[in-house]
Amino acid sequence: MSGYRLPTGGRVDRAKSVSFSFDGQSYTGLAGDNLASALVANGVTLFGRSFKYHRPRGILGMGSEEPNALVTVDRGPGRTTPNLRAPSVPLHSGLVASSQNRFPSLKFDLGAVNDKLGAFFPAGFYNKTFMWPRSAWEKLYEPAIRQMAGLGDSPTSRDPDHYASTYAHCEVLVVGAGPAGIEAALAAAQSGDRVILVDEQEEIGGGALADPAQWAWLTDARAQLLALSNVQLLERTTAIAHLHQNFVVAVQRLTDHVAPAQAQGARDKLWRIRAARVVLAQGAIERPLVFDGNDVPGVMLASAGRSLALRFGVAPGHAVAVMATHDSGWHDALALAKAGVHIVAIIDVRDDVSSDLLDAAGAAGIAVHLNHAVIGVGGRHAVKSVTIAASGSSAARTLSCDCLLMAGGWTPTVHLWSHAKGSLRWDANLAAYLPDSIDDNVIAVGGGAGAWNYGSGVAVSNLPSPKPVHQQKAFVDFQNDVKARDIRLAVQEGFRSIEHIKRYTTNGMATDQGKTSNINGLQIASEVLSKPVTAVGLTTFRPPYTPQTFGALMGHHKDALFQPLRRTVIDNWAVANGAVFENVAQWRRARYFPQGSETMDQAVARECLAVRERVGMFDASTLGKIEVVGPDAAEFLNRMYTNPWKSLEPGRCRYGLLLREDGFIVDDGVSARLAPDRFHLTTTTGGAARVLGMMEDYLQTEWSDLDVWLTSTTEQYAVIAVQGPLARAVIAPLVAGIDLSHEAFPHMAVREGTICGVPTRLFRVSFTGELGFEVNVAAEHGLAVWQAIHEAGQAHGIVPYGTETMHVLRAEKGYIIVGQDTDGTLTPDDAGLGWAVGKKKPDFVGKRSLARPDIVGAGRKQLVGLLTKDPQVVLEEGAQIVADPAQPVPMTMLGHVTSSYHSATLGRSIALAMLVDGRAKLGETIYVPMPGGTIAAEVTGMVFLDPKGSRLDA
């Protein structure tokens, strides 16, 4: 044996050496190694420092259950990934990895002082210690704790990689490609089903990878799978969540296993898989044992030692002791001995073990100590020895060794089963929770169902020791530094449910999700409470099963695709004419059109005056549009909106107000009835998808008897608003087939005809308070019609205007914008829109809530207008309002400013605000405290210009 590398054995390629570095030191491994096996092969036992106490830690397991060996991998600028589990990092040439949570070095960590002061840091100490002074928590305590704790550092530079995502469907999804999973996949595929088989490891095989006797079968099974056209095999793919109706989310690692220079394409792929049936074959995780010193580097699970030796050809130590409470530890010890690893002794708490195991151990020359337990481990950065004693005895003896393997039994991996709301049952013989019942078409097989051939054993919460538990450093949760005494302390503090104990101690929280700690924590709590495990409860397993990068979860949604920017067909014209843009929902919209050196305020003032005095044009294409068609269309809208719709005549428009079930405003818009069975609805720019989804939900679940079809037409139409006293004169030469006179085409009407020779739905509506028309044409004609209107308007002084001007114009008239002047808690009456509620309607969405006592009672916030005492002072939107600016802090807030502008037409500032009992305060003075001083304002009505609406009929 060279170092810890065995002379033969394993699935690594001994002809291909691979160079890599860890903490700046160069090492060499073999092709097929992972970072953990390669480091152990080089004699490295110290992998990291623990979360809270900064204790030295080595590997515990050789799979995704590993809680200790968390490393950072640097693949170049922008490609630094923290908190990767060393056994899950495939080795490739040039790999650069480093340890975490230490300063200045891994071997000498100043944070280890916490270990010396551990008695002062019991479970829950944060909640008791850092209480005074209160202001020190945010400024001192929390920053200091975060600096000392934590794990890896978050990346600080931009991620240059891209990520893929896809959807897949199959009859059978098998999660886990150990022997049970492979057999399930083959059986399903041979019956003709489409099968997807996913496994998180670099190659399929599961536990068979550490069993040379199964390698021939594994090679043949893999060949069979690859030969079947109805099987999709996804290696290096972790199923991270199992959601309702067999919707499984998985992440496939595509390039992290190769050197950065060789990586091609996406780094990760997110799979969204819908399966008719799901087979969970995730296997089981070996359970650690709880005893003093069980976290010293070199103490690991027996299954990890077996994997190192038989899969990777690496001895876990030169002299290995095995502490077992289960037969599987004996089988592993015998397998390691056969592979050439020196087994010093097998220690077992049981006094009765199978004679076959005893005979095999004797034949292998392995010393056996029955009815004994490890009571201490010598060494700090590595195991030097173990101390054992007979149960109930204080007489101890020391065994010299450099590795200790633990075999405490097995815990089925039920995380995905639990994600899907499957119930669990306690099996006292296995001392484990097993899958029980589930609503979806899911089954668990193999080790994940408790079906294993590992032998038998006993469950022990703590190994017996003459030392009291409160004096032991016996860890239950290795990742979160939770000791057995912390669990006991939580019970002593009065916590009885394991969910509460979990949160008090952090046992089984965060990325570990209880993989190695859950059952031991349950058993300790059960013992202290003198209750059965089932009475203590069970923690909730939450996705993801293992941590994933944000990039993998986001998929294509990064950079320009993070939120794709939607542009109207008039966008290029606006760019060419100097528009300044803003993003509204997902749309890019022209905010204003400056001329020369104009500021925004100057440009907006000019545009506002042009609309009020002459005419302006505005790109309103982003408004949401929904076509509602069918014999029951009017009945459907009558139920959705607050006001009556069945009485609306074809050719007429109506303002519609949409509520949630709680009676609060969710959207609004002007819509038209084109025919008895057809409506053209408009929504707010940001509300189009939300409103369509809400309507579809009611149509499909509440009123499925109605014959109605909903179609999104937002991008079908370009919409050009022509507003101002001269609007009719501008469009008249371009329109055919429509009488534009006031008598034939009144306000809130719609007509169909042509404009510039193309079909149009022409609305006579206004969001400015001026004579107005909204021209709806097919999007492919939008730019041509816009240009024609702009050219025709030159003789009338037409001006294009943007969203900022639109805001000022509508605020002058007291028109609200849902989402700006509402906050999700306003009713129609609060917003001054009580007139839009049909008093005689038997029902509509939200009607019952409008009668709730808290909705009709006093003290509600209502929309009002504000006029500052100094007419040139413009209030800040969002500013808080008080009645008495001299009151002590914290002041009683009466509301806030929702919209505020300077009106060029009125020559002063105006504002809208939500104010408690606002309408009862008309004429009163309120105050807006600001850093530069307090601003006084008078409460007024919401309409600042043309209260009678005479300008609409110009």
Side-chain angles (χ1 to χ4, degrees), residues 12-46:
V12 293
D13 187 344
R14 295 177 180 268
K16 294 182 180 178
S17 62
V18 179
S19 60
F20 68 101
S21 70
F22 179 68
D23 277 349
Q25 184 171 344
S26 297
Y27 297 97
T28 300
L30 298 177
D33 267 327
N34 59 41
L35 179 61
S37 65
L39 285 173
V40 174
N42 282 275
V44 175
T45 57
L46 182 59

Side-chain angles (χ1 to χ4, degrees), residues 308-328:
L308 281 170
L310 302 186
R311 179 179 176 184
F312 298 102
V314 176
H318 290 133
V320 178
V322 179
M323 176 66 236
T325 65
H326 196 279
D327 291 350
S328 63

Side-chain angles (χ1 to χ4, degrees), residues 793-811:
Q794 294 306 301
H796 303 283
I798 197 167
V799 168
Y801 65 93
T803 55
E804 193 67 24
T805 297
M806 177 268 291
H807 280 292
V808 178
L809 295 172
R810 63 90 193 173

Side-chain angles (χ1 to χ4, degrees), residues 829-877:
D829 183 69
D830 297 335
L833 298 172
W835 56 266
V837 178
K839 305 299 189 294
K840 297 180 180 180
K841 291 180 62 174
D843 199 11
F844 55 82
V845 175
K847 177 179 174 64
R848 287 178 297 174
S849 295
L850 295 181
R852 291 185 352 231
D854 60 312
I855 295 295
V856 299
R860 290 195 58 79
K861 291 181 180 179
Q862 298 168 337
L863 276 177
V864 295
L866 296 179
L867 293 175
T868 55
K869 298 294 186 178
D870 182 344
Q872 300 310 310
V873 173
V874 179
L875 294 172
E876 184 175 314
E877 292 180 352

Side-chain angles (χ1 to χ4, degrees), residues 430-474:
L430 299 178
Y433 276 103
L434 302 180
D436 189 14
S437 62
I438 195 168
D439 291 335
D440 291 333
N441 192 352
V442 183
I443 61 170
V445 300
W452 54 61
N453 56 356
Y454 304 144
S456 61
V458 296
V460 181
S461 59
N462 284 76
L463 289 185
S465 172
K467 184 186 291 187
V469 172
H470 70 273
Q471 294 180 9
Q472 297 180 31
K473 292 188 176 180

Side-chain angles (χ1 to χ4, degrees), residues 622-661:
T622 63
L623 288 175
K625 293 171 279 292
I626 302 171
E627 199 88 353
V628 182
V629 180
D632 298 321
E635 173 63 27
F636 173 69
L637 295 180
N638 208 53
R639 298 182 188 182
M640 291 298 303
Y641 285 98
T642 61
N643 42 358
W645 287 81
K646 291 194 290 186
S647 60
L648 184 67
E649 294 293 329
R652 298 295 294 180
C653 302
R654 179 157 290 167
Y655 174 77
L657 196 60
L658 190 64
L659 310 183
R660 298 194 306 251
E661 287 285 4

Side-chain angles (χ1 to χ4, degrees), residues 753-899:
T754 64
I755 184 169
C756 303
V758 301
T760 181
R761 290 178 179 177
L762 186 61
F763 287 65
R764 188 175 162 199
V765 295
S766 174
F767 199 47
T768 64
E770 301 294 333
L771 170 65
F773 297 89
E774 288 187 1
V775 180
N776 289 256
V777 295
E780 60 264 31
H781 302 305
L783 178 59
V785 173
W786 172 276
Q787 291 172 326
I789 293 174
H790 185 258
E791 182 177 349
Q794 294 306 301
H796 303 283
I798 197 167
V799 168
Y801 65 93
T803 55
E804 193 67 24
T805 297
M806 177 268 291
H807 280 292
V808 178
L809 295 172
R810 63 90 193 173
E812 291 172 343
K813 287 294 296 177
Y815 300 152
I816 71 166
I817 291 182
V818 174
Q820 177 169 337
D821 298 304
T822 67
D823 65 352
T825 67
L826 285 193
T827 67
D829 183 69
D830 297 335
L833 298 172
W835 56 266
V837 178
K839 305 299 189 294
K840 297 180 180 180
K841 291 180 62 174
D843 199 11
F844 55 82
V845 175
K847 177 179 174 64
R848 287 178 297 174
S849 295
L850 295 181
R852 291 185 352 231
D854 60 312
I855 295 295
V856 299
R860 290 195 58 79
K861 291 181 180 179
Q862 298 168 337
L863 276 177
V864 295
L866 296 179
L867 293 175
T868 55
K869 298 294 186 178
D870 182 344
Q872 300 310 310
V873 173
V874 179
L875 294 172
E876 184 175 314
E877 292 180 352
Q880 297 294 309
I881 299 170
V882 300
D884 177 12
Q887 63 183 292
V889 176
M891 297 183 179
T892 299
M893 303 298 176
L894 301 180
H896 70 278
V897 178
T898 62
S899 298

